[in-house]
Amino acid sequence: MARSTQKPPRQGGLSRISATVTLALWQLRLTWRLLLVSGAGVVAAVILVCTVPLYSQVAMSAGLRATLNTSDNATITVHSVAHLISRSATQKVAGQIQRELQQNLGEQLAGSQFSVQSPALAYGQHGDEIQLSGWSMQSTSGNVHVLEGRLPQDGGATLEIALTPEAAKNLNLTVGSTLSVTMPFLDANDHEVLEPLPLHVVGIFSPNSPSNNYWHGTSFASVLQGKQGALYPVLASSENYLTILETTSNTASGGNPQNGTSFENPTDLFWYYTIDTAHLDINHLDALSSGLSNVLASINNQPVADPFVDKTSSTGPSDLVSSYNSGIAVVRIPLLSLAYLIAGLMLFFVSLMTDLLVDRQSESIAVLRSRGASRQQIFSSLATQSIWVGIIALLVGPLLSILVARFLAQVTLSPTDQGALNVILADPISTALSLYLEALATVVVSILAMVFAINRASRLDVLALRRESSRSAGGPAWLRMGLDVLAGVIALTGYGFSVYITSPGITSVSVRVLILPPMTLVGAIFLLLGCMLLFLRLFPFILDLLSNLAVRRRGVTSMLAVAQMARAPRQSLRMTLLLALAVAFGIFSLVFSASQAQRIPTVAAYQVGADFSGTYAANSPLSPLSISQQEAQFAHIPGVTSASVGYTSQTRGAENGIDASIELRAVDANTFAKTGIWSTQDSSQSLNTLMQQLVRQRDAAIGQGVVPAIVDAAAWKTLSLSPGAPFSLDDLSGTVNYIALGEIDHIPTVNDSADASGTSDYVAQGGVLVDFTTYQSVLHAATQGQATTPGQATIPPLAPSTVWLSTQDDAGSLANVRSALAGGTRHLLDVNDRRNLASVMSNDPLSLALLGVLAIGTVTALLLGLLGNLTVSWLSARSRLINFAVMRALGTAPRQIASILTYEQIIVYATAIGLGVAFGMLLSFLVLPAFVFTSSAGGLAGGTGVFYVTQSVPPLLIAVPVLLIGLAVGLLVAVCIVALGMMIRVVSRPALSSMLRLSGD
């Protein structure tokens, strides 16, 4: 029969696509398990990359809301003074302010309030005065408790008022009483004109909470006026007040308000505009910051063209928002850097799974190639699977990330902060769509990693694949080209540059605080990369060395195990690196959490200096008492174990041309040792020893006119001191001579640095600790010596200004102390509560955002690492079943085969543990001291000042023993046992035929 010369028809484009899809589906039935694991890695990477911005958005929004909701910080206050009451003029000013606010802030405002405050109006014969406080009665009704009568009404011909019980009792007034006060005016010739102003008492009330933000600091408590009389604020309707006072103003001006008549003391007008914190989104922080700045500048700089009302000032949280914005910048870069680092680890897992997927199909690829399938068809079929995995991850990842972010927020944030979830849950679809840029980038990178592995495998024929599986013919391209050496040089250079650029004195304090964490992280990653590349180069030589040592030993199991790994070290190397990196990141994350938990009370104690601290009010009744009497007053508070008073001040260098800010702490050396909280990081000597030195030299120092001083390291360097060296400092009280007793590391409550000069930030350049009695006596003698003018008044001795308290820990004692310091004769200003500060820092959303990202990254990396190693171990055992069958046929016992696998696993897991511990400790020691993200009352503790005194906190003080034993050893040993158990079960099959049949499945 003649041979047919007809050529087969050429396949069209659709036919080629159909063949590729068919081939991909056929391969999917064989390898769907591995593809599922690889796809899980891609989805996990997408979820993490999308979760980080969502969770950080929630946490940072919660932090911003909490910051603004504290102490009425969410209010923009505009203050004007009215020379006469004119409703039209008041409405004109309100309209102008409203236009400015709407133009710059728009929907970021929640509402407004208006309040009017009259001058003090004389009442009665005992020097008492009444101040009218006008508010909107519609909103006030929910913020007061009416005890008798009712609240004032907006209408009426008489000005209605409501009194507090204290005012009603002291003024002998009841509901229904009518009293008359006079409103003083000045005519055009500055002659006083008194107009009667009748007031009708319609109710007695008490504010629900005097500290409620509704009142914006307005208090209805009476204020003593000298020895006799008091000022009594009373509640009135703002509408009624404007109506009645406009009529009174017209009467005083004779019906012509333009004739120059005005109030003798003007009336204060307040407009309060509240920021809508319930819907505040961190993404709108820049707009809020610029809008606030524009509003305040515009209102303050544009005068009101009205003869009745002068606009004087406006205040708002502009500086607070700007400070928070700076803190966000400090946190955001490391947050994203860690997220990308974890995502890179997951993509490494994807690359490993893809290699296993390709290796698993090596025999199928060889058969297809032998039957005429082109390399393009094989590549397209495998790439199609990868693309579908990427598409699924792109569709599912952003949606799942919203659930993950919600779960993290509910677990980590406090219930009051979880309201910020509305920034991502209000419109989940829009939220998910906003993440597709990050998701697409992650999917593209993962697909490229998978395509690279597929392309490399599709280039090899069946002989090359088998030769590669039995013994690696050569190292990877980057190793043959020496790129690891180049990468190591770049890594060391980058790390050295990061160390240099962040060194003190190179950049300003604020810039250094901003760039130090990301630069340190990048430098540490470079160094870690260099170490990893060095290990990749040395690992084959280590296996060859172990193989040579195993040959010299008795027994064949260890020799076969090491020889097999030395011939084909690729999979063992990847298994080792995958699990080592997962363990390293887990150690770093948990060490960070442990060091943060240890650092919070340390920072709180350093900020306060004791359990409680505060400053005296200017007219405190305790000021005339002696030091011991003042301390006794505080020591009598139930729960207080010790009290110490002193004086704090900012001083300047006064000699040798030194112009440096030095913080002064003058304490009672007799009691401060029992009150203050110091650690070994502050001084190697105990606080009691330091105080005894000051007490012993007290008498001699007073006689010599010098003050013995204990100087911290920053001041020691700034002033160029030596033991026994004299120096002088200036403060508001005068110039004082000191003598340096010794140097210590830090003085608690002093946030300083010797390298802070030349910057726009105020950072003290040192701190000095002295005895208050010595300082008071020397300063008094110096100032008295200057008062030589006859008849000049004697200057009183310096009075204490600060109190430190040591208290018990139980809730009842703390409640007693906080209540006593909030009012009464022992009232203190600017009270610092160490325990409350530590609680606030522990629940700070900014810190929790970083901890949450580390937590989810650690769990995901460990799970994928363990899953990857289990998969590799299982497939490695299955791929060698024919070899095991031959060994069984030659008389090898199942226990010996199991021992071979055991040796291999021991080498892999032991190396992974060692590398994981080394990499984790290296990352922790390099990165953690720069990751200062604990918020305090003054803002981020990573800001200027606090950073210098907290960077020396040892990060591994608590976590290393627990982590190394509990995490690395526990998890890895458990995985090793599971993997070995599965493999021993496989290789212990008694029949050769069963092994051959299993290998062909």
Side-chain angles (χ1 to χ4, degrees), residues 899-924:
S899 299
I900 294 174
L901 295 175
T902 302
Y903 273 108
E904 293 178 6
Q905 295 301 307
I906 288 176
I907 293 174
V908 170
Y909 285 108
T911 307
I913 291 176
L915 286 178
V917 171
F919 289 167
M921 293 179 65
L922 178 65
L923 201 62
S924 298

Side-chain angles (χ1 to χ4, degrees), residues 333-566:
I333 296 178
L335 207 88
L336 296 178
S337 301
L338 289 174
Y340 295 147
L341 179 63
I342 304 169
L345 183 59
M346 295 178 183
L347 293 178
F348 178 73
F349 167 82
V350 172
S351 176
L352 174 61
M353 291 297 103
T354 304
D355 274 353
L356 291 176
L357 183 66
V358 174
D359 291 343
R360 179 65 175 162
Q361 300 178 82
S362 59
E363 297 295 334
S364 300
I365 292 174
V367 172
L368 291 172
R369 291 293 301 274
S370 66
R371 295 184 179 180
S374 65
R375 185 171 62 87
Q376 181 181 3
Q377 288 177 320
I378 296 174
F379 175 83
S380 300
S381 64
L382 295 176
T384 300
Q385 297 176 357
S386 303
I387 293 174
W388 276 109
V389 168
I391 293 175
I392 294 174
L394 185 62
L395 296 176
V396 174
L399 295 175
L400 293 179
S401 65
I402 298 177
L403 299 179
V404 175
R406 177 183 179 181
F407 172 76
L408 275 178
Q410 291 176 339
V411 170
T412 57
L413 300 182
S414 64
T416 56
D417 292 330
Q418 291 180 15
L421 279 170
N422 62 357
V423 301
I424 64 173
L425 298 181
D427 190 356
I429 302 300
S430 299
T431 302
L433 291 176
S434 66
L435 298 170
Y436 272 101
L437 185 60
E438 294 89 345
L440 182 62
T442 306
V443 168
V444 169
V445 172
S446 64
I447 291 178
L448 289 177
M450 299 168 74
V451 167
F452 178 80
I454 294 170
N455 182 63
R456 180 187 57 80
S458 63
R459 290 177 179 272
L460 302 176
D461 56 20
V462 64
L463 294 178
L465 284 172
R466 290 180 177 178
R467 186 166 54 249
E468 185 71 17
S469 62
S470 61
R471 178 186 290 273
S472 298
W478 61 264
L479 185 60
R480 295 193 302 268
M481 298 174 61
L483 295 181
D484 60 331
V485 178
L486 178 61
V489 172
I490 295 175
L492 294 176
T493 304
Y495 183 73
F497 177 76
S498 68
V499 172
Y500 168 77
I501 199 66
T502 55
S503 299
I506 303 301
T507 56
S508 65
V509 175
S510 57
V511 173
R512 183 160 66 252
V513 169
L514 181 63
I515 68 174
L516 181 60
M519 287 298 296
T520 303
L521 180 62
V522 171
I525 292 175
F526 279 157
L527 189 60
L528 195 63
L529 177 62
C531 295
M532 188 173 66
L533 293 176
L534 179 63
F535 172 76
L536 291 176
R537 176 176 283 272
L538 295 179
F539 188 68
F541 298 101
I542 295 174
L543 291 179
D544 290 338
L545 178 61
L546 293 177
S547 179
N548 294 332
L549 293 177
V551 170
R552 300 178 184 178
R553 293 187 56 191
R554 282 182 151 183
V556 71
T557 54
S558 60
M559 188 242 334
L560 292 176
V562 179
Q564 172 64 28
M565 295 180 65

